[in-house]
Amino acid sequence: SQGIIENEGIVIDSKSGTSGAGRDPTQKLLFSECGDGLSAYGLINHRHTSEIEQIASLISGNDIELLFTPHLIPMTRGMHSTIYGRLRDPGLTSSDCQILLDNFYRNHSNIKVLPVDTYPSTKWVNNTNEIHISVKVDNRNGRIIILSVIDNLLKGQSGQAIQNLNIMSGFSMDDGLELTNNFP
C-alpha cells in the first residue's frame, strides 16, 4: 500500500502441504508418489491466481498481474510462500521494509511480522490461525523477498469462515481462533 514494489514482475513461489489438494484419493497424493519429493502444480492458471491479483490490486490501487506457482510438498498441513518483487526505491533496507510491514499489520493480532533475518517455518504456525511474515532486501539488485507461512487448514478456509462469521455477528474477528502452537 506504500507503493514500494513495482507492479510488474511479482513472483509468488509457494510450497503447500498435501491437505491443500483436498481429501479426494488421487494418485499424486499417495505417499509413494509425493513422499520424498517436490512437484509444481497448477502452473499459469492456478485457481487462486485471480484471487491473489484481485486483493493485490485492491490494496495497491493498481492493476496487478503476477506469477503464482504452487508446489506440493510431502507434509500434511502448512504453506510456505516466497514472494519476489522489485523495489521502486532500491535504497530501502530490510529494516525499512520490516517497519512498513509492522505498521501496516499493527492492528492484526494474527499476523506476526518477524525481526529482520528471522525466517519463518511452517512448524511455527501449525494448528494456529496465524501468519508469520519476514522480509529481506537484496540491495545488490534492488529486489525484496517476503517470506510467509500459514497453516493452510486453519488459516485457510476454516479460519476465514470463522473470521467472516465473527465480523457478520459483530464479534472480534479473532474470537475462537486464539490458538497456541505445540511446537517446542
Side-chain angles (χ1 to χ4, degrees):
S1 80
Q2 297 289 323
I4 66 168
I5 299 174
E6 295 287 340
N7 294 334
E8 301 292 320
I10 299 171
V11 176
I12 303 173
D13 179 17
S14 295
K15 314 298 189 279
S16 176
T18 58
S19 60
R23 292 183 53 107
D24 288 337
T26 61
Q27 183 175 347
K28 72 178 183 177
L29 297 178
L30 295 173
F31 182 75
S32 61
E33 295 291 323
C34 68
D36 300 322
L38 172 70
S39 59
Y41 65 96
L43 273 75
I44 310 301
N45 298 323
H46 191 275
R47 67 184 182 276
H48 293 313
T49 302
S50 60
E51 298 167 32
I52 298 167
E53 289 177 341
Q54 178 183 7
I55 296 301
S57 297
L58 181 67
I59 291 171
S60 73
N62 300 296
D63 286 336
I64 303 290
E65 286 186 7
L66 50 81
L67 182 61
F68 172 58
T69 304
H71 298 80
L72 183 66
I73 58 174
M75 65 180 192
T76 303
R77 60 196 311 152
M79 178 175 276
H80 185 294
S81 296
T82 305
I83 304 158
Y84 303 92
R86 184 170 299 284
L87 289 169
R88 289 181 192 260
D89 176 357
L92 288 173
T93 67
S94 298
S95 294
D96 295 333
C97 295
Q98 188 262 343
I99 290 167
L100 288 170
L101 284 172
D102 238 353
N103 287 334
F104 188 80
Y105 292 117
R106 69 180 173 271
N107 295 323
H108 298 272
S109 61
N110 61 337
I111 301 173
K112 310 284 188 224
V113 178
L114 303 174
V116 172
D117 293 327
T118 301
Y119 308 124
S121 168
T122 55
K123 287 184 175 186
W124 300 355
V125 294
N126 265 4
N127 300 306
T128 74
N129 190 52
E130 293 182 356
I131 178 171
H132 289 194
I133 301 173
S134 178
V135 63
K136 186 73 173 178
V137 168
D138 184 345
N139 293 111
R140 183 180 60 84
N141 61 25
R143 293 189 188 269
I144 186 171
I145 304 164
I146 301 169
L147 305 172
S148 73
V149 294
I150 63 170
D151 178 322
N152 61 310
L153 291 176
L154 242 160
K155 186 64 185 159
Q157 295 288 332
S158 60
Q160 287 177 28
I162 293 170
Q163 285 178 314
N164 288 335
L165 176 66
N166 285 340
I167 291 168
M168 290 174 12
S169 301
F171 300 126
S172 169
M173 183 170 62
D174 295 320
D175 278 0
L177 294 170
E178 301 89 355
L179 306 165
T180 56
N181 182 306
N182 297 327
F183 184 69

